[in-house]
Amino acid sequence: MRRLAFILCLILFPVPISARRYVLVLSQDDLNSPSTEDDVSDDWDDFGAGMKPDNELDPGSWTPILDPGRITPELFDSEYYSPVSKMISAASRGDPRALGVASSEIEAAALDGNPHAQSVLGYLYQMGIMRERNGARAFLYHHFAAEGGNMQSKMVTAYTYYKQDMYDDAIKLYAELAAVSVNSFLISKDSPVTEPVRINNGAEENKQALRKSRGEDDEDFQILEYQALKGNADAMYRVGVFHCFGLRGLQRDHQKALSWFSKAAEKGDSRAMELLGEFYARGVGVERNYTKSYEWLTQASKLHLYSSYNGLGYLYVKGYGVERNYTKAKEYFEMAAENDDAGGHYNLGVMYFKGFGMKRDVRIACKCFMMAANLGQPKAFYQLAKMFHSGTAVKKNLPMATALYKLVAERGPWSSMSRWALEAYLKGDIGKAFFLYLRMAEQGYEVAQSNAAWILDKYGGKKICIGASGLCTDAERHQHVHSLWWQASELGNEHAALLIGDAYYYGQCKRLWVCSECIYACEVPIKCTSYVQSRIHA
């Protein structure tokens, strides 16, 4: 009933409702509060448990039509992928007519019950692309798509609830999405699926970050690869890392990563040895072999790479390649944690939480998860989210739990679209980049929101913005820019907050848009003073 009431509110009051931003703070009072004995962590994270390919974790993903290596003739005959491909191509060319035809095909598939097509149709209504912007219809289509298993619509729906402080509804979706994200992490040291590159640094283009994202075309990478080919162990390891995680604009390639790590390990690089140990434990790019995993991790530990103790402890707690021994596992985790290894803190927390070889102590477990989270371990954020969700060892706090689940959910395989958006931007395909960033923006990705706003501000005069009936009118473009900067500011983007704040202060009106040349207040253009202009562009 609450969801239906929410939909009714959207229909009756189609004016955007602004969200409040709050800062997450874990206080001592939170940790000392009464706890329940409910076990919120029945899972014990495994090197390979539950790992599925991205196409299963993210059905309806656009990657098959964005990745040249995965495009097949069958895709272009699909009732879903064919029109999506046409839409992206039309957005790239700035061709409203072609985009309108493709959107009609998507609508037909959506009305026929295809959940992924319903998701795209919701996106078109939300952004006012070849449709009059209609938040209520967008929400309905995303709701049905989410019910049908589309993960991107689940992200959109969860974010919609989150903005309205409807935590009871948001947390159910974010918890599910976070669980899928955790299963998508390749190894215990995993990074985001793609680096969240911000294409602007304040009012300037982030040239350094963009230069480093050009993959094999980047001069620095070419120099690094040359050094690796000449036998430099550090360069071998770093090139392997780029291929392993798909960083710096490179595609993820475990075979290449394994090859470079093997060469670096032969030259005595302990970091490469550790990752080889994890590769063999997971069976990533090679047949799973726990004995070899133990051997490589042991070699790395002998070279005083303390994070490798975490891997060894894991093998002992699971009994993989060695006899199960909780005492040794705890010792290894403690050695890793004492040297500020996030995985050591996390796994030590799990041991205390589960009571493996010791008395169960959820308070100590929570503190271990806190330490791991402060060091950036995503699984620790996930465990803390579950604790705040259930009230185990901490006071039950749905806003906190929802925000933590959101952090983990945003690392899921659906975040890979940012890679293709960035690649398009670097190649000068601004229309395609804008279209893809918009798709992520409605899912609550702050970087995508600010990137889309930046593109529209900088390239607004070109054919990149398609509105309800063709190329965007000035009003549609200004509304887009304002909405995107506003959302980014609500999620903590300081530059976006400055733009919105300056516009409100100098425009003295409740309805404002910020553009590259002036401030529009109450739909009446008011030329910026030199000071305001410098504040917007400096």
Side-chain angles (χ1 to χ4, degrees), residues 195 207-215 218 220 248-249:
E195 294 173 294
K207 294 182 179 179
Q208 183 177 2
L210 295 176
R211 179 178 57 80
K212 291 180 179 180
S213 301
R214 295 183 181 275
D218 176 39
D220 288 348
R248 299 291 183 88

Side-chain angles (χ1 to χ4, degrees), residues 136 164 180 222:
Q164 314 309 323
V180 175
Q222 292 173 356

Side-chain angles (χ1 to χ4, degrees), residues 236-278:
M236 290 175 174
Y237 166 76
R238 291 170 61 192
V239 171
V241 168
F242 292 161
H243 284 297
C244 177
F245 298 118
L247 304 180
R248 299 291 183 88
L250 296 177
Q251 291 195 29
R252 178 173 280 182
D253 190 325
H254 295 132
Q255 291 294 336
K256 285 185 178 180
L258 181 69
S259 175
W260 283 116
F261 289 148
S262 298
K263 293 174 182 177
E266 289 173 4
K267 288 185 171 291
D269 191 291
S270 58
R271 300 165 299 174
M273 293 175 185
E274 180 189 24
L275 285 172
L276 281 176
E278 299 228 28

